[in-house]
Amino acid sequence: MGAAPAPRDVTSYGMGLAAPLALFFLVFFVAPLLQLLWLSLHNDTAGLHWGLGQYLHFLTDPFSLGVLGSTLLLGAEVTAVCLVLGFPIAWLYQRVGPKLQTVIILIVLLPLLTSVVVRTFAWIVILGRQGIINATLQSLGIIDTPLKLLYTQFGVVIALAQVQMPLMTLPLITALGRIDPNLDDASCSLGAGSWRTFFRIVLPLSLPGVIAGCTLTYAAAITAFITQSLIGGGQMLFMPMYLYQQASTLQNWPFAAAISIIFLLAVLAVVSVFTTLGRLSRGYGGA
Amino acid sequence: MAGRKRTLEAISFELVMSVIAMIALVIIIAPSLVVLVVSFTSGFSLRFPPQGYSLRWYAELWDAWQLHFAAKNSLVVALWATGLSILLGVAAALAISRSRTLSARLLDSLFMSPLVLPALAFGLAALMLFSLVGLPVSPLTLVIGHTVVCVPYVVRNTVAALAQLEPTLLESSAVLGASRFYTFRRIVLPLIRPGIIAGAFIAFMSSFDNVPVSLFLRDAATDMLPIRMWQDLEGKLDVTIAALSGVLIIATVALVAIMERVTGLSRRLTN
């Protein structure tokens, strides 16, 4: 105990502590995905004949391409609705006192933690033939026969938008909280109106939050298969249900694997586009 | 004149933003309220507002043994997955949080990736691997699958809590002769505990609510609550499900209120 020990960094921990989780992920996350990729590159169910048959099948089949297209479109529509509705919530949050702020956060947070099946069930009650919307419109004499709201694109988009709204709103609240309120005042005192200030100052500066929110919302909306299948019904098919049908009902694992890989790549492509935009916007916002 | 014009313009802006915000908040909260009200109906249909009120569907729920069985399975799997997530996730967060190295950043991305990748694709992939190595689906495979998709919440919240930690505290503790383990136990752990609890809570809720992974990794004997509810809803609109939804909504509200007290959940998710 003579010499002082060599100065050691006591503020950080060794990477060894990450080893158990890294190993767990390697075995139960990375390996399964590689196995999925491996099987998707085979033309037969037994996995004996290599080939791109599954991908060719998907990419030349108008039905499959249609499912992919409508899934990507659905994600875009839900994200747009969430952004338009979520941004004003984040804006309002910055303008109220701390008590109301907590109330707003809890309202936004609750659906995130409530079971997705429960939230989707609520929309069945609201959109159904005897649901609130139809009952109200009928009692007001606006319509005679119930509107078809369930099993429509409109129904799926509105239900998904509600289900995913927290994922958009929380990053927006964070982003708006980081904007210096003086900028707002400065812009207004220099003669810019509120609308102009919003579109020229607040919106650009909140872009990192917008992009983070859009990424999360989009990824969640296109994979939310409970809401898609219950509100969309049998006629509307999106990628997750397509994957599930092929894997489970038809036991066509190689094709289901190819669908999964194509779906994974589509999600990754969208996420990386958003991430790139985010990096660019941070440079813009920081300037 | 100009001042007056500007105020009108400002008022129009505030009005539009406030009205949209109000509509959005109503859209967010209304579905849960609607389900709560409908669950107290005395009738057989899901009409809103109900013709009469009663607790009959909650009484019905009391005898719904299939739902009880599914709820018990979901609870057990969620508890195991959360425990495993805390064990693996907190250790990993300690390793990667204060490191700026490339490997730490890569590991961080790896541990977060289950959040954006389609869980259904992962469920199928895991099933394929398990069947390849001859491991039959069971509660064990469910716990493994759930842990993969739940551990990111623990890692993320623990990393965030560690980032708030003042490094000088650790240095002072070391200078005063405390061992690393003692410092961890008496300084680090108490300070990051709320973050760990918040992450574990979200992990637990998302495991309890998980369908896509359970769909592939459960055996026929292990019915899970959200899958049971989903399949019931596909078949018929059962008011018992409304009562069950009521129970889940009230339980969620209560848990969130407790978590808000214990961990300041709302601040954690906006910082």
Side-chain angles (χ1 to χ4, degrees):
Chain A
M1 289 300 273
R8 207 161 53 115
D9 180 12
V10 292
T11 60
S12 66
Y13 296 86
M15 288 301 280
L17 281 172
L21 187 58
L23 196 66
F24 188 84
F25 262 56
L26 215 58
V27 175
F28 296 119
F29 183 67
V30 179
L33 291 179
L34 289 177
Q35 151 85 0
L36 190 75
L37 182 65
W38 179 83
L39 191 62
S40 75
L41 292 170
H42 285 79
N43 290 341
D44 59 323
T45 339
L48 295 173
H49 305 284
W50 289 87
L52 290 169
Q54 310 296 344
Y55 292 94
L56 284 175
H57 177 196
F58 189 98
L59 295 172
T60 53
D61 174 26
F63 179 77
S64 302
L65 288 176
V67 173
L68 178 63
S70 56
T71 308
L72 298 178
L73 180 69
L74 177 73
E77 289 173 352
V78 172
T79 307
V81 173
C82 282
L83 185 59
V84 170
L85 291 177
F87 209 104
I89 297 181
W91 174 87
L92 187 69
Y93 178 86
Q94 306 302 337
R95 261 161 196 68
V96 296
K99 274 246 171 65
L100 275 177
Q101 282 192 333
T102 311
V103 172
I104 291 180
I105 286 285
L106 290 181
I107 290 180
V108 171
L109 208 57
L110 266 179
L112 188 66
L113 296 165
T114 309
S115 162
V116 170
V117 185
V118 171
R119 282 183 277 163
T120 305
F121 171 60
W123 282 101
I124 297 178
V125 176
I126 293 170
L127 299 173
R129 288 180 64 85
Q130 296 191 341
I132 300 168
I133 296 180
N134 273 320
T136 314
L137 291 179
Q138 274 179 313
S139 66
L140 292 174
I142 297 174
I143 54 168
D144 294 328
T145 49
L147 294 175
K148 190 180 171 204
L149 300 167
L150 266 185
Y151 314 132
T152 62
Q153 181 84 4
F154 167 81
V156 179
V157 170
I158 189 79
L160 272 178
Q162 188 261 342
V163 170
Q164 316 298 357
M165 190 90 78
L167 297 177
M168 177 68 83
T169 315
L170 292 175
L172 286 179
I173 287 177
T174 309
L176 285 184
R178 293 204 176 127
I179 298 176
D180 187 348
N182 289 325
L183 284 174
D184 221 37
D185 299 339
S187 167
C188 280
S189 65
L190 288 173
S194 300
W195 288 102
R196 201 173 139 93
T197 305
F198 178 76
F199 283 109
R200 301 294 293 272
I201 309 281
V202 179
L203 200 57
L205 285 178
S206 64
L207 268 184
V210 171
I211 285 156
C214 286
T215 314
L216 292 170
T217 312
Y218 193 91
I222 61 173
T223 56
F225 108 112
I226 293 286
T227 313
Q228 288 170 2
S229 76
L230 283 177
I231 307 287
Q235 296 99 325
M236 299 173 75
L237 190 60
F238 299 104
M239 285 294 272
M241 195 56 177
Y242 191 37
L243 191 175
Y244 180 64
Q245 283 177 350
Q246 293 295 327
S248 193
T249 321
L250 302 173
Q251 293 285 323
N252 190 353
W253 282 17
F255 189 52
I259 297 177
S260 305
I261 297 292
I262 290 169
F263 193 33
L264 278 172
L265 290 178
V267 175
L268 280 181
V270 171
V271 168
S272 45
V273 166
F274 278 130
T275 315
T276 313
L277 286 176
R279 211 162 285 143
L280 293 175
S281 74
R282 253 195 297 282
Y284 182 37
Chain B
M1 190 63 202
R4 195 183 141 81
K5 209 169 133 195
R6 203 174 302 141
T7 18
L8 266 179
E9 196 262 342
I11 289 171
S12 76
F13 174 76
E14 308 242 316
L15 198 70
V16 169
M17 290 298 263
S18 309
V19 167
I20 299 178
M22 288 301 171
I23 293 173
L25 287 172
V26 168
I27 290 180
I28 291 178
I29 202 78
S32 300
L33 297 178
V34 167
V35 167
L36 267 183
V37 172
V38 165
S39 70
F40 290 106
T41 184
S42 57
F44 283 92
S45 76
L46 294 166
R47 286 179 68 155
F48 184 92
Q51 313 295 85
Y53 293 90
S54 79
L55 286 171
R56 63 182 289 190
W57 296 107
Y58 284 87
E60 202 97 335
L61 199 57
W62 194 257
D63 299 322
W65 64 268
Q66 277 186 315
L67 292 176
H68 292 194
F69 176 67
K72 201 196 102 211
N73 287 333
S74 284
L75 201 61
V76 169
V77 168
L79 284 173
W80 275 100
T82 308
L84 206 54
S85 294
I86 295 174
L87 218 60
L88 295 170
V90 172
L94 286 171
I96 61 175
S97 68
R98 292 188 174 274
S99 174
R100 294 249 172 276
T101 56
L102 180 68
S103 59
R105 276 189 293 138
L106 283 178
L107 281 176
D108 190 42
S109 313
L110 173 67
F111 296 154
M112 289 302 133
S113 50
L115 288 183
V116 281
L117 295 185
L120 209 60
F122 163 67
L124 174 66
L127 173 65
M128 286 175 180
L129 188 82
F130 288 141
S131 67
L132 187 75
V133 298
L135 189 64
V137 284
S138 67
L140 174 70
T141 56
L142 271 174
V143 169
I144 291 173
H146 278 219
T147 303
V148 169
V149 292
C150 294
V151 82
Y153 300 108
V154 175
V155 173
R156 192 171 60 180
N157 280 280
T158 309
V159 164
L162 281 165
Q164 310 266 315
L165 196 69
E166 202 58 62
T168 48
L169 282 176
L170 306 183
E171 281 159 4
S172 329
S173 177
V175 166
L176 293 171
S179 72
R180 301 205 75 181
F181 183 67
Y182 189 81
T183 307
F184 175 75
R185 206 160 56 82
R186 298 303 294 270
I187 313 254
V188 179
L189 195 55
L191 286 172
I192 65 170
R193 190 179 290 136
I196 297 174
I197 295 175
F201 171 63
I202 299 172
F204 174 84
M205 297 302 269
S206 76
S207 164
F208 190 76
D209 189 36
N210 183 287
V211 172
V213 175
S214 302
L215 217 41
F216 284 112
L217 296 184
R218 72 185 174 133
D219 55 315
T222 315
D223 205 359
M224 303 293 278
L225 190 63
I227 295 182
R228 174 87 262 147
M229 292 174 76
W230 173 50
Q231 284 169 349
D232 281 0
L233 287 177
E234 292 248 279
K236 58 200 183 316
L237 281 185
D238 190 344
V239 192
T240 321
I241 297 297
L244 177 58
S245 299
V247 170
L248 290 179
I249 289 170
I250 291 165
T252 307
V253 171
L255 284 174
V256 168
I258 294 170
M259 283 298 142
E260 180 67 18
R261 272 286 164 82
V262 175
T263 71
L265 196 63
S266 59
R267 270 177 297 111
R268 241 161 244 294
L269 293 173
T270 48
N271 279 324

